[in-house]
Amino acid sequence: HTRCSRDWSSDVCSSDLGSTVSHATAVNDRGDVAGDRSVMWDTYGGSRAFVVRDGVLTDLTGPNLFSVATGLDNQGRVVGNVYDLGSTDPSAFLSQEGQTMVLDDLVQPAQQGLWQIKQATGINDAGEIAARGVSTVTGQTHALKLVPVAAP
C-alpha cells in the first residue's frame, strides 16, 4: 500500500510508485478514486488498476497482468478490465472487500460458458455492472447488464 494525497489540486499519488503516468477513471461520493497507472515489467510496459481509499493506494490485480479500472460505486466495489501479459484479449473483473475476481467466474452455473465477459465499463450502487460480452453461441458482441443474485 502507498499513501496518497487527498489534495486534488496536485497528483493523486506521488511519483514514488515507479510510475510516471496515471489516470483517474472514477470517483464515488466518499471520495475514493479508481484508475490505472503505468508500470514496467522487464521490457513490457502496461498499466495496473488501483483504488485510492482513505489516502491509501491499493493495486487491484496481481503482477504480470495489465489492467484498468473503469467503474466505482459508493460501496467501494471496482470494475475494470484485465489482460494477461502479452495478450490483447481482455477479461472483466470485479474487486470488492479486498478480493478481485474475473466476472466470467461469477456467472450462474446455468449460464456459464454462454458468454465471455470481455469488458466492464461501470457499476451502480445496486451492484449492477455495465459490460460487453461475446456470445459463445453466435460469436456476436453485445452490451450486457450483469445483475447480482443472492448466493444459494
Side-chain angles (χ1 to χ4, degrees):
H1 299 296
T2 302
R3 297 293 301 173
C4 297
S5 169
R6 291 297 238 176
D7 176 5
W8 299 115
S9 64
S10 64
D11 290 339
V12 172
C13 295
S14 64
S15 61
D16 67 340
L17 297 173
S19 175
T20 57
V21 178
S22 60
H23 303 97
T25 55
V27 62
N28 66 16
D29 293 341
R30 298 186 313 189
D32 301 338
V33 175
D36 59 89
R37 61 187 179 90
S38 65
V39 292
M40 289 294 294
W41 300 283
D42 299 326
T43 59
Y44 295 102
S47 64
R48 184 166 298 151
F50 68 81
V51 66
V52 176
R53 193 170 285 128
D54 297 322
V56 177
L57 180 137
T58 302
D59 279 327
L60 299 177
T61 56
N64 299 322
L65 296 171
F66 298 117
S67 58
V68 294
T70 56
L72 170 67
D73 72 5
N74 286 318
Q75 283 74 45
R77 296 175 292 210
V78 179
V79 295
N81 311 308
V82 63
Y83 305 77
D84 286 327
L85 188 62
S87 172
T88 59
D89 191 31
S91 295
F93 74 81
L94 167 67
S95 181
Q96 64 181 1
E97 299 174 1
Q99 292 187 303
T100 300
M101 301 147 285
V102 174
L103 286 175
D104 283 330
D105 296 339
L106 301 177
V107 174
Q108 288 184 319
Q111 296 180 350
Q112 283 183 342
L114 297 177
W115 294 95
Q116 293 178 332
I117 304 169
K118 296 297 185 180
Q119 292 179 315
T121 56
I123 185 169
N124 66 22
D125 290 337
E128 298 170 328
I129 299 170
R132 177 181 71 85
V134 176
S135 167
T136 58
V137 176
T138 66
Q140 294 179 331
T141 299
H142 293 272
L144 303 173
K145 178 174 85 169
L146 307 176
V147 179
V149 295

